[in-house]
Amino acid sequence: MGDYELLSKIKSPADVKRLDEKDLAKLCSEIREKLIETVSLNGGHLSPNLGVVELTVALHRTFNLPKDSIVWDVGHQSYTHKLLTGRFDDFYTLRQKGGISGFPKRSESKYDDFNTGHSSTSISAAYGIARAKMLSGDQSHTVAVIGDGSFTGGLAFEAMNNAGRFKKNFIVILNDNKMSISKNVGAFPRYLTTVRIQPWYIRVKKNTEKVLSKIPLFGRPISAFLRRSKSKIKNLVYKNTLFDCFGFTYIGPIDGHDIPELENALSAAKKINSPVLLHVVTKKGKGYLPAEENPGTFHGIGKFDIDSGEPISSHKGFSAEFGNTLCELAEKDKKICAITAAMAKGTGLEKFSIYHKERFFDVGIAEEHAVTFACGLASKGMRPVFAVYSTFLQRSYDQIIHDAAMSGLHIVLAIDRAGIVGDDGETHQGVFDVSMLNSIPNVTIFSPTYFDGLKCALNSAIYVCNNVAAVRYPRGGELYKPDDFGEESITYDIYGNKDCGKLIITYGRLFSYACKAKEILAEKGIEVCILKLCKIKPIDPSAFDFATEFNTVWFFEEGIKTGSVARNFGDALLARQFNGCYHIKTIGDKFVKQMSVSEALHMLKLDAEGMADVVLEDLDRIGNRE
């Protein structure tokens, strides 16, 4: 652990401004050391943060924070910003329960201007902030920092199109590191490559304006006309970039690891009377060789050994099992296609991308497009499978309704990270997909507990369903499986004594916790049966009939209550004149803050001990322990 001679004394951006230029390299070195040390212990986003150290230092030296505003796109690259804004002493709590968030949080610091966690939102938010400032007479600057990966999301272009009409004090910094999580694909990254290799652009523009300004009478009017013009004449003179066409003045490309060059560029951008796009080229993972060589692996990583760069623990998870199963199916079926939104590695599709390259589609960070693109494939007889994290599936709600379900098209949604994910906090918990999909007609949802159930569900989703089919599975691998429990069925399973009068209903990984709860209760002389759902929409009617035979029923669900399976199940019981007691334990109407998965489930009483406590408390309340 370093002594952090300079970094430990930084309490605000004012302290960064006071540093001599000769000390900046040492400060950046200390920042990188602190980032590597902390993330190795807590997990987190390492390579994105290592890549923006110099850029962040330059921003804090050039702008007057918090009067000036910085909005970080996604926010997973804001660790250096946190270290320079008074959070060094608490940085060891990064991503821990009650600690510093891994993303910007307005409630955490006055220097965090906007809560972020999902991609492509920064320009829209920053433009809104800039407009609000203008309306109140505030002349301070607003800066959006967005990666080239995030720029593949359509929202970024919608914002650029709208913000190009702004007058001044609005700067978009394009952090170009050639990656999002997976390697960037598509037309926009190729376009940036052409811009990077043409550094003459800004020189030509400056020299043209300089020459025109010296021409008596006509020079300045011509220069002003060219700046305003959308004509071919302007394109011929200035060789416009895409960003100029949106109304932005383009500056770049700039070396994102040269602080003096960055400060000069930022200072120049502040003086331009139009919105500015500053193109900064950085290296993801810079300063830590394992992250430089494998930036995707270190984009978001758990605990790791600093010397070797190897993860502390690794186990086979649902993502890998899904990827392998889909590859096996695709070997026999040439109609199967796999789609990812810049998450090939995270969703287990790397193997598919190699062995079935022609049927693998990385659409960039564009979940809305991914769903509608899948619908296009399906309309011509293909079998598209879109693998996506639960938290990012939310962004495609309209497309699932309008383009998929309403059109009766058969697409498969492989929903990764379903349920609590832990340390990334509110923005990444996968607890809304069930309620979201439950509200849409023509959708089938599977939620298996074990790998064999995943294989069965995926096969059914592809070959049995003829509408939108979703297979959801959690982060990590299989949990506890009782020795006397066999393979999962495709609809539901019953585990325990059917005549005991007490029934726990659940699905997904919570079944493992329910089995442990059953054992805890048995030690206290209380016997329960478990109804494990695998297909949670539509639910097999015989499952409702089975539940009506019990006196007391508990439903445990790792999702929000509104629109939940528990609510639907309860309605079905009432329709069958169920006379017993029915209890629901879900997340409720709230967001789940950052903490480990085990801590979150314990807090929510959705782990084994929590379930047992809920059952005991309810039995005591209704006087039915027998």
Side-chain angles (χ1 to χ4, degrees):
M1 180 164 60
D3 56 10
Y4 305 113
E5 178 185 356
L6 294 176
L7 182 59
S8 62
K9 297 174 184 176
I10 302 296
K11 304 302 179 185
S12 73
D15 295 326
V16 184
K17 290 176 182 286
R18 283 191 284 267
L19 289 176
D20 290 335
E21 190 173 310
K22 61 181 176 60
D23 292 325
L24 297 182
K26 177 175 172 56
L27 174 65
C28 291
S29 177
E30 290 184 7
I31 291 171
R32 285 194 166 91
E33 186 176 353
K34 185 66 174 176
L35 294 177
I36 295 167
E37 172 196 307
T38 304
V39 176
S40 73
L41 296 173
N42 296 3
H45 293 90
L46 185 59
S47 53
N49 285 287
L50 292 174
V52 297
V53 172
E54 287 83 4
L55 173 60
T56 308
V57 170
L59 282 166
H60 283 71
R61 285 172 61 83
T62 306
F63 291 94
N64 182 26
L65 305 180
K67 185 172 178 59
D68 291 327
S69 303
I70 300 177
V71 179
W72 300 90
D73 205 279
V74 185
H76 61 310
Q77 77 283 50
S78 63
Y79 293 4
T80 299
H81 167 76
K82 289 174 182 277
L83 285 169
L84 300 181
T85 50
R87 286 170 269 188
F88 171 82
D89 291 337
D90 295 323
F91 200 68
Y92 71 95
T93 68
L94 181 74
R95 302 176 75 246
Q96 304 299 294
K97 183 179 181 181
I100 292 174
S101 171
F103 300 90
K105 286 283 184 288
R106 296 176 66 204
S107 60
E108 188 177 291
S109 171
K110 64 182 179 181
Y111 297 102
D112 292 358
D113 282 276
F114 199 79
N115 290 3
T116 51
H118 286 188
S119 169
S120 313
T121 65
S122 62
I123 304 175
S124 295
Y127 180 50
I129 291 170
R131 276 290 181 185
K133 287 181 177 181
M134 174 176 279
L135 291 171
S136 62
D138 184 347
Q139 296 298 308
S140 64
H141 290 82
T142 304
V143 181
V145 183
I146 182 170
D148 52 325
S150 292
F151 234 114
T152 62
L155 182 60
F157 286 93
E158 293 175 25
M160 289 286 288
N161 183 57
N162 193 224
R165 296 174 289 180
F166 203 57
K167 299 299 181 185
K168 59 186 298 186
N169 299 344
F170 184 63
I171 301 169
V172 173
I173 296 176
L174 173 56
N175 175 31
D176 177 6
N177 59 27
K178 308 180 185 68
M179 287 194 70
S180 47
I181 297 174
S182 300
K183 186 177 180 180
N184 285 333
V185 296
F188 185 70
R190 289 197 298 272
Y191 171 75
L192 287 182
T193 299
T194 66
V195 175
R196 281 186 224 113
I197 63 176
Q198 297 180 41
W200 42 257
Y201 167 78
I202 197 67
R203 293 199 303 271
V204 169
K205 191 166 185 176
K206 284 183 177 179
N207 291 337
T208 301
E209 291 184 349
K210 186 176 180 180
V211 170
L212 288 172
S213 67
K214 293 183 178 181
I215 300 175
L217 297 178
F218 300 108
R220 291 185 183 278
I222 293 173
S223 178
F225 167 75
L226 286 172
R227 282 196 301 270
R228 294 192 304 267
S229 174
K230 302 294 183 183
S231 68
K232 293 181 180 178
I233 298 175
K234 181 180 179 182
N235 291 335
L236 287 171
V237 174
Y238 285 151
K239 297 185 182 294
N240 272 1
T241 66
L242 169 68
F243 311 112
D244 287 272
C245 296
F246 276 116
F248 281 70
T249 297
Y250 172 85
I251 298 177
I254 302 296
D255 182 351
H257 301 295
D258 186 324
I259 293 179
E261 185 178 348
L262 284 166
E263 288 187 33
N264 288 336
L266 290 168
S267 296
K270 290 171 66 174
K271 298 174 183 177
I272 296 174
N273 291 322
S274 71
V276 176
L277 190 292
L278 178 60
H279 182 182
V280 176
V281 179
T282 62
K283 183 176 182 62
K284 200 168 184 178
K286 183 175 176 61
Y288 182 53
L289 187 60
E292 288 187 14
E293 293 178 341
N294 299 287
T297 299
F298 283 87
H299 175 88
I301 190 169
K303 298 178 182 180
F304 64 93
D305 178 75
I306 293 177
D307 293 333
S308 67
E310 293 297 318
I312 298 297
S313 61
S314 61
H315 56 269
K316 184 180 180 182
F318 276 94
S319 301
E321 188 68 20
F322 156 75
N324 290 334
T325 302
L326 193 65
C327 271
E328 292 171 6
L329 293 172
E331 279 290 336
K332 304 171 184 176
D333 187 346
K334 303 305 180 184
K335 291 185 177 182
I336 290 177
C337 301
I339 303 168
T340 180
M343 300 289 287
K345 184 165 187 174
T347 57
L349 287 178
E350 275 195 316
K351 183 177 177 181
F352 194 105
S353 71
I354 296 170
Y355 290 101
H356 308 291
K357 187 175 182 180
E358 73 284 356
R359 288 179 280 147
F360 171 76
F361 304 100
D362 187 339
V363 301
I365 305 179
E367 292 82 5
E368 302 96 320
H369 165 59
V371 170
T372 304
F373 171 66
C375 291
L377 288 170
S379 71
K380 293 301 180 183
M382 302 306 289
R383 295 189 172 109
V385 180
F386 175 33
V388 58
Y389 287 8
S390 171
T391 185
F392 301 136
L393 180 69
Q394 298 161 189
R395 298 159 69 93
S396 57
Y397 184 59
D398 179 65
Q399 287 71 31
I400 296 171
I401 294 175
H402 185 274
D403 301 324
M406 197 178 293
S407 300
L409 291 169
H410 179 208
I411 67 171
V412 176
L413 304 173
I415 306 175
D416 204 326
R417 268 63 165 181
I420 299 294
V421 298
D423 305 328
D424 283 333
E426 304 101 313
T427 57
H428 284 62
Q429 310 288 17
V431 298
F432 298 100
D433 62 276
V434 170
S435 293
M436 181 179 85
L437 295 174
N438 256 336
S439 69
I440 306 174
N442 297 333
V443 174
T444 300
I445 312 173
F446 299 95
S447 189
T449 302
Y450 304 111
F451 291 161
D452 60 344
L454 172 65
K455 293 178 180 179
C456 184
L458 188 59
N459 189 79
S460 294
I462 294 174
Y463 293 114
V464 178
C465 297
N466 56 13
N467 50 20
V468 178
V471 182
R472 63 190 307 275
Y473 41 92
R475 179 184 186 184
E478 292 180 309
L479 300 180
Y480 174 67
K481 186 176 184 179
D483 292 336
D484 56 346
F485 181 83
E487 290 189 358
E488 291 180 87
S489 73
I490 197 63
T491 54
Y492 66 89
D493 297 293
I494 297 167
Y495 179 63
N497 183 359
K498 302 176 183 179
D499 301 316
C500 67
K502 300 175 184 64
L503 180 68
I504 289 176
I505 308 173
T506 192
Y507 62 88
R509 70 175 165 195
L510 288 196
F511 174 67
S512 294
Y513 294 101
C515 291
K516 286 284 189 180
K518 180 179 182 295
E519 295 174 3
I520 294 172
L521 291 167
E523 292 174 358
K524 299 179 182 296
I526 297 170
E527 191 172 11
V528 297
C529 182
I530 303 174
L531 172 62
K532 185 188 78 62
L533 302 174
C534 186
K535 183 192 287 186
I536 58 176
K537 183 181 189 288
I539 298 171
D540 189 323
S542 64
F544 302 131
D545 296 333
F546 175 76
T548 60
E549 300 299 318
F550 290 79
N551 298 320
T552 312
V553 177
W554 292 266
F555 203 113
F556 293 95
E557 183 167 4
E558 196 177 349
I560 60 169
K561 193 170 189 176
T562 303
S564 63
V565 178
R567 278 276 178 85
N568 293 343
F569 205 103
D571 289 345
L573 289 181
L574 287 174
R576 286 166 169 75
Q577 285 78 50
F578 174 66
N579 293 318
C581 297
Y582 183 69
H583 309 269
I584 295 177
K585 185 60 182 173
T586 63
I587 289 175
D589 189 25
K590 63 181 178 182
F591 297 106
V592 181
K593 296 186 180 298
Q594 68 185 44
M595 60 189 80
S596 68
V597 173
S598 59
E599 286 173 331
L601 292 178
H602 185 71
M603 178 195 73
L604 296 165
K605 293 197 170 185
L606 293 174
D607 62 355
E609 292 77 12
M611 289 181 183
D613 287 344
V614 168
V615 169
L616 291 171
E617 289 167 6
D618 286 339
L619 289 177
D620 283 340
R621 182 172 52 80
I622 63 179
N624 185 27
R625 278 221 177 198
E626 292 79 15

